[in-house]
Amino acid sequence: MQDYQEFLEEILIPEDELQERIRELGQEISRDYEGKDLLLVCILKGGVMFLTDLMRSIDVPHNIDFMAISSYGAGARQSTGSVQIKLDLATPIEGRNVLIVEDIIDSGHTLTSVINFLNTRRPKSLKICALLDKAERREVEVPIHYRGFTIPNKFVFGYGLDLDEYYRDLPFIGVFRTKPMQGIE
Ligand code: PRP
């Protein structure tokens, strides 16, 4: 496997900034949900790193569950606009306070579909926590209740986000290098 540095233009959000912001989000969520029932719903696969750090920063009791949605084909760089539910929740959500945990909101189509789908199950509340907001790319309005960072319209990877399914493990958010490195054909 090639080294990720070949694909890295620059580090957009270093590890310490990510972790600091996630701690702040966790504190905000803990304040808002104090004394309330809370279910974190992680959207796989990209949201998994964010979920595991975020839940360690939340100091109110909570449950977790997972959904997998497909909106991008392997290797694709743009949303197709059509989404498919590949893995549904194991937990009933009627009457519960649901907080969706997502790595990135781009066009907004994925979350709009997820929100519409989950609302049919009558949760008590349904809110969104997104680490990255690529706001320039929005095609449909999505209410973001907890936002980590607003980022420019660049292809990013690391910290849950993949480059053709690799590098989700990197502890920072990097920008994909679109031009070859100097000196390399
Ligand atoms: C990414 C991301 C969101 C979606 C956002 O998932 O995790 O779910 O795209 O795009 P949108 O706002 O344009 O709909 P992806 O389909 O890449 O799957 P993955 O998380 O499994 O990598």
Side-chain angles (χ1 to χ4, degrees), residues 21 23-36 38 57-60 146:
R21 184 72 189 117
R23 267 193 297 276
E24 290 171 359
L25 290 171
Q27 285 167 7
E28 210 181 319
I29 291 165
S30 302
R31 277 197 302 272
D32 294 351
Y33 287 90
E34 194 176 355
K36 296 179 182 166
L38 173 60
S57 295
I58 296 176
D59 59 14
V60 295
Y146 304 95

Side-chain angles (χ1 to χ4, degrees), residues 77-138:
R77 293 275 180 271
Q78 285 206 318
S79 170
T80 60
S82 62
V83 299
Q84 200 190 344
I85 289 166
K86 293 195 150 184
L87 173 75
D88 199 352
L89 297 173
T91 319
I93 60 166
E94 184 166 354
R96 302 203 65 188
N97 296 304
V98 175
L99 180 60
I100 298 175
V101 177
E102 180 61 292
D103 55 340
I104 186 167
I105 304 181
D106 192 320
S107 69
H109 289 295
T110 304
L111 266 187
T112 299
S113 299
V114 171
I115 291 167
N116 291 340
F117 177 72
L118 292 182
N119 268 332
T120 64
R121 295 179 179 169
R122 302 160 56 101
K124 185 172 182 187
S125 68
L126 183 59
K127 292 192 174 180
I128 311 293
C129 178
L131 181 64
L132 305 176
D133 178 9
K134 208 188 265 186
E136 285 174 51
R137 295 258 305 162
R138 200 62 31 81

Side-chain angles (χ1 to χ4, degrees), residues 70-77 86 162-165:
S70 169
S71 59
Y72 291 73
R77 293 275 180 271
K86 293 195 150 184
D162 70 308
L163 265 189
D164 296 342
E165 294 298 329

Side-chain angles (χ1 to χ4, degrees), residues 12-26:
L12 185 67
I13 311 173
E15 182 176 5
D16 57 345
E17 276 182 42
L18 274 177
Q19 293 301 331
E20 175 59 27
R21 184 72 189 117
I22 292 166
R23 267 193 297 276
E24 290 171 359
L25 290 171

